[in-house]
Amino acid sequence: MTVIATRPITLGEVIKDEYDPSSGITREVVTVNLASATTLTAGAVLAKVTATGKYIVQDASLASGAGLEAAGVFMGKDEVTPVLDVAATTDTKVLMLARGPAKVVKSKLTFGAGTDTDAEKQAVYDALAAKSIVTVTAL
């Protein structure tokens, strides 16, 4: 079958509830710096590299100080652009859901390839919950 059109994921598919988005309480602009060129989409779980203070895609297999704990959820370049091409080893400012109260859909979250077991994913959900970002099944 021929594909007629595709559309990127929207923030509304990932974030089901967020405390007063216009207040800026739950969101932060952070700097990502990735080892290889990557297309980030809303729902990518980010982790903070303790040595640099910059963010990467959460991956349980990393030993860089960023592999274990999720810091937040990538929202996009800004509030209206949920997909962003990030060049390799380039500091790029992005919008991140950094704290709650908020609800995100588990099935819309994405991780690095090394986060592939249920236990590793549960550790991510627990880290987000510690920031009052609750993971839920689709509403």
Side-chain angles (χ1 to χ4, degrees):
M1 179 180 281
T2 304
V3 175
I4 296 173
T6 60
R7 67 172 180 80
I9 194 167
T10 64
L11 283 180
E13 292 175 76
V14 177
I15 301 171
K16 290 300 177 183
D17 190 28
E18 179 185 5
Y19 174 77
D20 194 11
S22 63
S23 70
I25 291 172
T26 57
R27 302 174 178 193
E28 283 183 24
V29 174
V30 299
T31 301
V32 295
N33 191 304
L34 308 174
S36 60
T38 305
T39 299
L40 290 176
T41 59
V45 178
L46 301 178
K48 188 174 187 177
V49 178
T50 46
T52 64
K54 297 174 185 171
Y55 293 77
I56 61 172
V57 176
Q58 189 279 339
D59 192 324
S61 66
L62 298 178
S64 65
L68 301 178
E69 189 166 321
V73 178
F74 173 74
M75 297 177 71
K77 176 183 176 186
D78 50 41
E79 293 177 340
V80 295
T81 313
V83 177
L84 179 63
D85 291 324
V86 178
T89 65
T90 303
D91 287 354
T92 306
K93 299 283 187 189
V94 301
L95 187 61
M96 180 178 79
L97 179 65
R99 68 193 64 79
K103 290 180 186 175
V104 295
V105 178
K106 281 184 185 181
S107 64
K108 300 297 182 182
L109 297 179
T110 58
F111 321 93
T115 303
D116 54 2
T117 68
D118 289 340
E120 290 166 342
K121 290 177 183 176
Q122 187 60 51
V124 170
Y125 305 146
D126 292 345
L128 291 174
K131 296 176 174 292
S132 297
I133 301 172
V134 178
T135 54
V136 296
T137 56
L139 301 174

